[in-house]
Amino acid sequence: YRIRQNSRLTATDEITLMREAIGVNTNMIDHIPRLDGYEPFETTRQKRLAVEIGSEQDKLKLLPLLSSLNVKWVLSGDPLQDKLLREIAFPSSTYPVYLYEDLMAKPFMFVPRTVKTVAAWKDEYFYELRHVADRSDVPVLIECGDCGGFSHTTSTSLAYQRISDELIRVDATSTDGSWVSISQTNMPYWHATVDGHTTPLYTAQYLMQAIYLPKGVHRGCVEFISPEVSLSKTRSSCGL
């Protein structure tokens, strides 16, 4: 009503309006990560992905793509009918809001069932991910031009620990080597090690991270280290 009267909103009114309208970045009020937030250090890829999502009018067609990015919670202004979505009761709001849990969401770190390595990302891969026939088996696309000979098995036991926002540790036992997908953005200054030795940190699903763990028993670490900090800090932080 006050907006229609062109009167100035108080700060409290503005926050209430943005929260009820699911405004950009209001997720930070509740400390919830959001895929399409406008961040000051947003990468070109994050912007491109936001355009890809926003350009689709039929939101049901986006579900395979969202599943491929391991998005667990879906907010919508319209009801969505999909057998792999579970509706969550949402507090009453001035605006119609629907909250769903994607039952296909994977753990933060997981061994994908199907892996495809590509030399570099092409926009046609967005189409491929959006038209996956089986959402329970969305392939993980990993950008690596010389990884075609890497074996991959799902017979891998995996135990990971998020020690902090900057450090993730994983212990794995693999019968024949495997890829591990990590559901966080592959931004600069993230580094990976396996058994204390530096290893490549790959980009998966256009935006996320992936590491390769060889056959046997290994400890891997993924850590954010600013340029001022020595890489040796990674080894000590990982308990190596």
Side-chain angles (χ1 to χ4, degrees):
Y1 174 78
R2 284 192 228 177
I3 294 176
R4 292 177 181 174
Q5 294 298 315
N6 294 320
S7 61
R8 184 175 180 82
L9 293 176
T10 66
T12 301
D13 286 337
E14 289 182 356
I15 292 175
T16 301
L17 175 63
M18 289 295 287
R19 184 196 292 270
E20 292 195 4
I22 322 175
V24 172
N25 279 348
T26 50
N27 55 294
M28 293 189 294
I29 297 173
D30 299 309
H31 306 288
I32 299 173
R34 177 168 161 169
L35 185 65
D36 61 346
Y38 296 155
E39 304 296 342
F41 299 106
E42 191 175 34
T43 66
T44 301
R45 287 199 172 203
Q46 287 173 305
K47 294 179 185 295
R48 174 68 181 84
L49 182 60
V51 170
E52 185 71 22
I53 293 174
S55 63
E56 178 57 67
Q57 297 301 311
D58 186 350
K59 300 309 178 186
L60 283 175
K61 293 182 179 179
L62 285 174
L63 292 180
L65 177 59
L66 295 179
S67 291
S68 75
L69 294 164
N70 214 17
V71 173
K72 184 173 184 178
W73 307 105
V74 179
L75 278 169
S76 174
D78 301 302
L80 302 175
Q81 300 295 328
D82 186 279
K83 63 181 181 180
L84 298 178
L85 290 180
R86 182 171 70 91
E87 186 172 1
I88 307 297
F90 201 80
S92 59
S93 172
T94 305
Y95 302 89
V97 177
Y98 301 88
L99 175 63
Y100 299 92
E101 178 186 1
D102 188 345
L103 300 179
M104 290 296 99
K106 302 292 192 301
F108 172 76
M109 184 178 286
F110 66 97
V111 176
R113 185 188 306 177
T114 305
V115 171
K116 176 181 177 181
T117 56
V118 298
W121 188 270
K122 299 179 182 178
D123 282 351
E124 64 192 57
Y125 297 144
F126 281 125
Y127 181 88
E128 180 179 331
L129 292 175
R130 287 169 61 174
H131 293 81
V132 172
D134 183 4
R135 277 180 59 210
S136 66
D137 187 22
V138 178
V140 171
L141 276 59
I142 298 175
E143 295 176 49
C144 179
D146 56 356
C147 296
F150 285 21
S151 59
H152 176 69
T153 178
T154 56
S155 300
T156 300
S157 63
L158 200 69
Y160 70 89
Q161 181 181 4
R162 298 186 69 174
I163 298 174
S164 68
D165 289 339
E166 296 82 23
L167 176 62
I168 306 103
R169 184 171 65 200
V170 56
D171 292 296
T173 302
S174 176
T175 59
D176 194 25
S178 62
W179 288 99
V180 176
S181 182
I182 308 166
S183 302
Q184 68 179 5
T185 306
N186 196 14
M187 299 283 282
Y189 305 125
W190 281 95
H191 302 271
T193 60
V194 173
D195 299 333
H197 302 287
T198 300
T199 192
L201 184 60
Y202 301 93
T203 299
Q205 302 303 64
Y206 186 67
L207 207 59
M208 305 305 181
Q209 296 175 337
I211 59 173
Y212 185 78
L213 296 176
K215 177 181 178 180
V217 179
H218 299 282
R219 168 168 288 183
C221 283
V222 178
E223 185 170 16
F224 181 87
I225 304 177
S226 66
E228 294 79 15
V229 180
S230 170
L231 280 175
S232 62
K233 175 178 178 292
T234 306
R235 297 179 176 85
S236 59
S237 299
C238 288
L240 298 169

